[in-house]
Amino acid sequence: MRKLIVGLVALVLLALVVGIGALAYVRSGEQPREGMETVTGLRAPVEVIWTDHAVPHVFAGSLHDAVFAQGFLHARDRLWQMELVRRAIQGRLAEVLGEPALETDRFLRRVGLWDAARRDAAAMPPDDRALLQAYADGVNAALERWSGPLPPEFLVLGFEPEPWAPVHTIAVAKMLSLTLASYGQSLAVARALRRLPRDRARWLFPEFPDWDATILPPAPEIPPLARSLVDRYSFAAASNSWVVDGSRTASGRPILANDMHLELQAPSLWYMAGLHAPATDTFPALDAVGTTVAGAPLVVAGRNRAIAWGYTNAYVDDVDLFIERVDPADSTRYLTPDGSRPFEVRAETLSVKGREAPVVM
């Protein structure tokens, strides 16, 4: 019994030592927020000041350097988040997550957002391309200068991130568009119409009523009970924003409140930051503070010295779904109003961790 107890204590101590060592090793990869660094790609010195709430403020000599530094900071703080979104849009999660992610890859390749991102990247105006390239250069500078181990997700899965490119930023925007689109609701309506008459299905998906509140012209007051019933049985939800006039605030200045109803996640979708750069011949002065998205430059919602701005999801009918009907006489063709046409076919190759051979769609 004594030997057993001694053995168990030794195992517990060994586990503690290994755990503390592993934790210390992972923590050693945390990138510094103080000191001076020399980074290739900047056109002039950039200063980053962190607030007590860990919000970085970037003071740069140009818009190029401001978004370069923003990419640098995003990569240091949100590298795994950026990598996960990029791989999801590309349909390449199974490469690192294995078999459980294969169906997700299949779905996202069918949706084709990565193809759409590449088409948009090829059609970008020169100024937009230069802006996204400066951001990508900042991300890649952070990867090149990384000290210590990568974030723990990379260590567990055993791979390193690839360089960032402007098309990856467009892919991040595509993912945000997909999460805000009425894709799931359109499918739910289609399923309901298969089982219910059209007039009954409409009760499940009420349209925005004519008598409900609007932020444009004055609208009549809605009885509280009526509003609560509509909210309780409405399928849709939405973001909201409102403004308090300066005559009703202690400071005498207006206040904008903006609540974008996105799902909670860790880390958050948003990355708070301030970007500051003087005006140039090409761009006006940049002096914005607010929410940014890891993987994309500039401020999404926030304020500058003149205005504050926010976003709400409009819940418009922004998704069109088409059911292709296979030609009964030839499964390689589909029916259209103009007759039968051949399917266009291309092969998609999906690598799967743990499989010797890739899967071909």
Side-chain angles (χ1 to χ4, degrees), residues 81-361:
Q81 184 182 36
M82 294 166 65
E83 180 70 20
L84 192 64
V85 173
R86 169 170 64 174
R87 283 186 171 272
I89 286 293
Q90 290 177 304
R92 294 178 56 200
L93 290 172
E95 286 185 17
V96 296
L97 299 180
E99 199 82 27
L102 181 57
E103 284 308 308
T104 299
D105 283 351
R106 289 181 184 272
F107 168 76
L108 288 166
R109 299 245 183 150
R110 291 189 189 106
V111 173
L113 293 181
W114 178 240
D115 294 331
R118 288 189 291 187
R119 288 195 298 270
D120 285 0
M124 270 195 301
D127 286 347
D128 292 348
R129 183 181 300 279
L131 185 73
L132 296 193
Q133 187 62 58
Y135 177 85
D137 290 343
V139 174
N140 294 329
L143 296 179
E144 292 168 4
R145 293 186 53 79
W146 198 277
S147 60
L150 288 168
E153 296 87 350
F154 292 96
L155 300 178
V156 170
L157 297 173
F159 78 101
E160 295 185 0
E162 299 169 356
W164 195 265
V167 66
H168 297 134
T169 292
I170 298 177
V172 170
K174 297 292 184 186
M175 175 62 88
L176 190 57
S177 296
L178 179 63
T179 61
L180 296 177
S182 301
Y183 181 86
Q185 184 169 345
S186 297
L187 292 177
V189 170
R191 294 191 189 101
L193 289 173
R194 290 179 182 175
R195 301 186 181 186
L196 297 173
R198 182 174 294 272
D199 59 335
R200 293 199 175 192
R202 290 178 67 87
W203 282 92
L204 296 175
F205 310 100
E207 296 180 355
F208 194 78
D210 294 335
W211 48 263
D212 207 343
T214 173
I215 61 172
L216 297 176
E221 287 295 323
I222 305 167
L225 178 59
R227 182 183 293 280
S228 66
L229 290 173
V230 170
D231 289 345
R232 184 173 300 173
Y233 292 101
S234 174
F235 178 86
S239 316
N240 51 53
S241 63
W242 60 95
V243 176
V244 179
D245 185 78
S247 63
R248 299 177 179 272
T249 67
S251 66
R253 298 179 179 181
I255 297 174
L256 167 67
N258 181 209
D259 182 9
M260 291 176 274
H261 292 179
L262 301 176
E263 291 186 7
L264 293 175
Q265 59 188 53
S268 167
L269 168 70
W270 305 117
Y271 181 105
M272 301 295 293
L275 300 177
H276 312 273
T280 64
D281 294 338
T282 310
F283 294 101
L286 175 66
D287 204 9
V289 181
T291 57
T292 73
V293 174
L298 302 178
V299 173
V300 176
R303 60 177 172 81
N304 57 28
R305 293 187 181 276
I307 63 168
W309 71 96
Y311 289 96
T312 58
N313 196 9
Y315 273 87
V316 296
D317 184 10
D318 55 3
V319 176
D320 290 322
L321 300 175
F322 297 88
I323 301 174
E324 303 293 357
R325 304 188 185 279
V326 178
D327 187 340
D330 186 350
S331 62
T332 66
R333 304 176 68 88
Y334 64 100
L335 301 179
T336 77
D338 300 324
S340 176
R341 291 186 182 178
F343 281 112
E344 293 181 9
V345 180
R346 76 171 189 268
E348 289 276 343
T349 303
L350 295 87
S351 298
V352 182
K353 185 176 182 179
R355 284 197 184 191
E356 293 184 2
V359 175
V360 178
M361 289 175 58

